[in-house]
Amino acid sequence: MPTPVTHLAIVTGTSSGIGAALATELLDRGWDVVGIARRPSAIEHPGFRHVTLDLGDTTNLTDAIERELGEVVSDPGIERLALVNNAAHIGLLGTIEQLDPVGLAEVYAVNVAAPIALSGWLLRRANPQTTIRIVDVSTGAATNPYPGLGAYGTSKAALRLAGMILAEELDAAEQGGGAPRDVSILSYEPGIVDTEMQGALRASTPDVIPLRDFFVELHREGQLAPASEPALEIASFLDAAVVPRHTEARLGG
Ligand SMILES: NC(=O)c1ccc[n+]([C@@H]2O[C@H](COP(=O)([O-])OP(=O)(O)OC[C@H]3O[C@@H](n4cnc5c(N)ncnc54)[C@H](OP(=O)(O)O)[C@@H]3O)[C@@H](O)[C@H]2O)c1
């Protein structure tokens, strides 16, 4: 990673899909990027660093991220710091009647506990003068009751609300006399995107995902967006000079 670093993005889930496309887009725009995933990343760029981490291992998450990035993110030379909570666990498909509690806790660890922990750690650790942008990658399943997506949808609903609560807490801290901080949060729905995640939905069966044939049909009709499209929109948010404390957006809207 070349020095000095002024724009640094931590993006989770950069081994495939939207996370990989976003990391590439940000590198093209001159950002330095730290990517987090269990598998390696195909990205080779002097501004890119891959950190191998299982976000489901919540017991060790804070220590691991502190060890890897604590000094980097607290550097006062960083003008703009981004955290994109993009990684998600969609492994546990099935109706509420079928859901196993151990699997459910694993989904919540990756989709809720890890992004909340990373956001809190970043706010505690970053220089207070640094501009911070947090993006929580959401889904239509966070606000619509899609059958068979109970584990995933409820986890994303929790993450969406966590971002809203964080924004309120930041406002309350300032109103209580704390120093103003330029911190903003976006909850972003990428639409239906041609990634491994969609492949997993199509590979399922209608008894597990009653909407499975809908996803198969969208794919057959070529209606899935390429990962570069949401990547472009998220990167534009991260580059924007002024944004509200909390926003919600969806691909193309
Ligand atoms: N594709 C869609 O249609 C769609 C629609 C709505 C929302 N989304 C959201 O978009 C985001 C990106 O998904 P995608 O579509 O790009 O799917 P994807 O290609 O399957 O990417 C998921 C990423 O999450 C990472 N990940 C999963 N579990 C992890 C763990 N325990 N620790 C670390 N990293 C982990 C994966 O890396 P490793 O496996 O290497 O760890 C991978 O890089 C997700 O938040 C998803 O909910 C996607």
Side-chain angles (χ1 to χ4, degrees), residues 63-240:
D63 284 350
I65 203 75
E66 174 61 32
R67 196 169 50 243
E68 295 283 351
L69 297 173
E71 278 187 32
V72 180
V73 302
S74 57
D75 182 345
I78 296 182
E79 295 165 17
R80 189 167 279 248
L81 200 46
L83 169 65
V84 182
N85 288 311
N86 164 74
H89 185 320
I90 200 176
L92 189 68
L93 301 172
T95 59
I96 296 285
E97 205 175 301
Q98 298 165 336
L99 289 183
D100 155 55
V102 176
L104 194 55
E106 286 169 9
V107 172
Y108 285 5
V110 177
N111 296 4
V112 188
I116 290 176
L118 289 177
S119 303
W121 171 81
L122 192 71
L123 289 168
R124 292 192 302 275
R125 207 58 179 86
N127 186 293
Q129 307 302 324
T130 299
T131 291
I132 296 181
R133 300 287 179 255
I134 296 174
V135 178
D136 293 324
V137 178
S138 192
T139 163
T143 50
N144 296 288
Y146 295 132
L149 291 179
Y152 174 71
T154 57
S155 71
K156 289 290 195 175
L159 179 60
R160 172 175 177 262
L161 188 60
M164 294 175 178
I165 291 172
L166 174 56
E168 292 289 332
E169 289 172 348
L170 290 163
D171 284 345
E174 283 187 16
Q175 284 153 15
R181 291 185 78 179
D182 184 4
V183 180
S184 295
I185 301 124
L186 167 67
S187 176
Y188 179 77
E189 280 184 37
I192 300 187
V193 189
D194 195 4
T195 66
E196 290 178 12
M197 189 167 279
Q198 281 294 318
L201 294 175
R202 292 195 301 277
S204 187
T205 51
D207 59 315
V208 175
I209 301 279
L211 286 173
R212 181 245 180 205
D213 291 349
F214 167 73
F215 292 115
V216 170
E217 193 60 16
L218 284 180
H219 181 251
R220 200 184 56 75
E221 290 173 355
Q223 291 196 34
L224 274 60
S228 56
E229 286 186 10
L232 195 68
E233 292 192 347
I234 295 171
S236 298
F237 169 82
L238 297 181
D239 267 334

